[in-house]
Amino acid sequence: MAQQYDAILIVSFGGPEGPDEVLPFLENVLRGKPVPRERMLEVAEHYQHFGGVSPINKQNRQLIAALQTELDEHGPHLPIYWGNRNWHPLLAETLAEMGRDGVKHALAFFTSSFSSYSGCRQYRENIAAAQAEVGPTAPQVDKLRVFFNHPGFIEPMVESLAACVAKIPAERRGAAKVLFTAHSIPTSMAENCRYEVQLAEACRLVSEGAGLAASQWELVYQSRSGSPHVPWLEPDVCDRINELHAAGELQNLVLVPIGFISDHMEVLFDLDTEARELCDELGVPMQRAATVGVHPRFVRMIRELIVERIDASTDRPALGVLGASHDVCPANCCLYSPQRPASGG
């Protein structure tokens, strides 16, 4: 049965677009979270290293332009809106605009490939809060399924990894190490979602597609924040690089940011800056695989997700053993209660 939708909503994290916006943005991100202020100031320096501008907003604009072209050429012919969790355009601002434009029922694409509280459920909570703020004119919003195993995500990542491996001298390729990286999350969050399972499957699909042996690749994590006393997913990418080097197992390295769809701040700083500096110090040749960005196959995937949601008779492609993810999240999906700081602390 066909569903009626009258707009697409791109939902993302947001980022500052100038030095004066960095601290207000980070205060938005970290409000209510037990993150020491010194850690926030450390992250602020990461942004100032790039002129106080996060690349994520520019990348979202590029993705929206590419998707609009794809929809204009192939349909469905729907307008695209964009709202962020943490910085302008904020979701409440966007939903208010959609209401003024007469939008009643929108499909949302979250710029996160994997299921977790912060990558999915929290965005749904953000939308609900924005709808409550806007009031009766706010549109209904349904999310598209997560796409960690969709061929439109996996195939560009295979292409990107294979291009990096091809640059390694042929006699060294078999010993090359590939570290897939994703944003670390608290282990208590990971226990209530399928983040690790989905990541492991995506890594397997990409590594096999690029012709790697199972012994050549590992999944590691990056960009952790929060109290050092709270367990987060490990190992950290730089810690693992040091361990592999100390064990004499690191001749060539490829980093694959599987957990991210664009080259935003975590990729540019944690991988292209910190990890690269470490590899340079250790004398290890390192390459970093490209994210999907606006790869034509990825953009087409978004259109395919839209089409399958509009028409339930459409195929729902998924690679590997986990199948296509659900359209409507169960009530307890990715349920998580973030640890709050003690009052007066």
Side-chain angles (χ1 to χ4, degrees):
M1 181 177 177
Q3 296 289 322
Q4 296 299 314
Y5 293 98
D6 47 10
I8 305 300
L9 173 63
I10 304 297
V11 180
S12 193
F13 191 80
E17 297 194 270
D20 294 343
E21 297 182 0
V22 172
L23 283 179
F25 160 73
L26 289 174
E27 287 165 352
N28 263 358
V29 173
L30 301 175
R31 185 170 289 114
K33 296 180 181 178
V35 177
R37 184 165 180 83
E38 56 267 28
R39 172 58 181 162
M40 183 183 77
L41 295 176
E42 180 185 330
V43 174
E45 280 302 309
H46 299 177
Y47 284 94
Q48 300 299 357
H49 188 75
F50 295 91
V53 177
S54 167
I56 194 170
N57 284 344
K58 179 180 179 181
Q59 290 159 5
N60 279 326
R61 292 185 183 102
Q62 292 171 339
L63 180 61
I64 289 165
L67 179 59
Q68 191 68 70
T69 298
E70 177 76 13
L71 296 182
D72 289 346
E73 291 180 359
H74 303 285
H77 301 290
L78 297 172
I80 303 174
Y81 294 82
W82 167 36
N84 292 324
R85 170 184 293 161
N86 295 301
W87 205 243
H88 307 285
L90 294 165
L91 277 164
E93 298 167 347
T94 300
L95 292 188
E97 178 188 2
M98 294 169 77
R100 290 192 296 270
D101 290 347
V103 174
K104 301 297 184 186
H105 199 177
L107 270 175
F109 175 79
F110 294 1
T111 56
S112 175
S113 316
F114 301 91
S115 299
S116 71
Y117 173 75
S118 54
C120 185
R121 187 184 183 96
Q122 189 177 4
Y123 280 126
R124 293 191 289 116
E125 293 175 355
N126 298 150
I127 290 171
Q131 288 169 324
E133 181 178 337
V134 172
T137 61
Q140 180 180 338
V141 179
D142 297 338
K143 69 173 286 288
L144 297 167
R145 65 177 168 104
V146 290
F147 49 87
F148 68 94
N149 58 355
H150 194 290
F153 176 67
I154 297 297
E155 290 168 7
M157 293 305 299
V158 169
E159 180 183 305
S160 178
L161 172 55
C164 288
V165 172
K167 295 176 184 177
I168 299 171
E171 67 275 11
R172 297 168 66 96
R173 286 176 199 163
K177 283 289 185 180
V178 173
L179 296 181
F180 290 91
T181 74
H183 206 301
S184 184
I185 61 175
T187 56
S188 55
M189 184 189 295
E191 289 164 0
N192 291 292
C193 64
R194 294 177 59 76
Y195 187 66
E196 291 175 282
V197 172
Q198 293 174 354
L199 275 167
E201 177 70 346
C203 294
R204 183 186 70 80
L205 291 167
V206 173
S207 62
E208 289 182 359
L212 296 183
S215 59
Q216 285 186 267
W217 67 270
E218 300 177 30
L219 171 61
V220 299
Y221 297 93
Q222 61 173 92
S223 313
R224 74 152 288 166
S225 59
S227 167
H229 307 295
V230 177
W232 283 53
L233 294 179
E234 297 178 337
D236 173 77
V237 57
C238 287
D239 290 346
R240 188 58 183 144
I241 290 171
N242 275 316
E243 291 170 358
L244 289 168
H245 182 262
E249 299 177 13
L250 203 56
Q251 296 181 32
N252 288 81
L253 175 65
V254 180
L255 297 180
V256 184
I258 191 79
F260 308 92
I261 70 164
S262 66
D263 293 359
H264 51 62
M265 189 56 66
E266 284 87 350
V267 175
L268 294 182
F269 189 84
D270 295 353
L271 300 185
D272 291 357
T273 303
E274 286 194 329
R276 184 170 296 282
E277 288 175 356
L278 174 59
C279 287
D280 288 346
E281 290 172 13
L282 299 176
V284 175
M286 178 206 123
Q287 296 181 69
R288 198 266 292 170
T291 52
V292 289
V294 291
H295 191 289
R297 181 66 187 95
F298 181 69
V299 175
R300 178 157 57 92
M301 178 205 77
I302 303 175
R303 181 178 63 82
E304 290 170 355
L305 291 173
I306 294 167
V307 169
E308 76 174 37
R309 192 61 182 276
I310 291 173
D311 185 355
S313 67
T314 304
D315 287 342
R316 294 165 55 83
L319 301 175
V321 299
L322 297 183
S325 190
H326 47 253
D327 285 334
V328 180
C329 296
N332 65 345
C333 195
C334 299
L335 193 61
Y336 172 70
S337 297
Q339 179 183 339
R340 301 299 181 188
S343 60

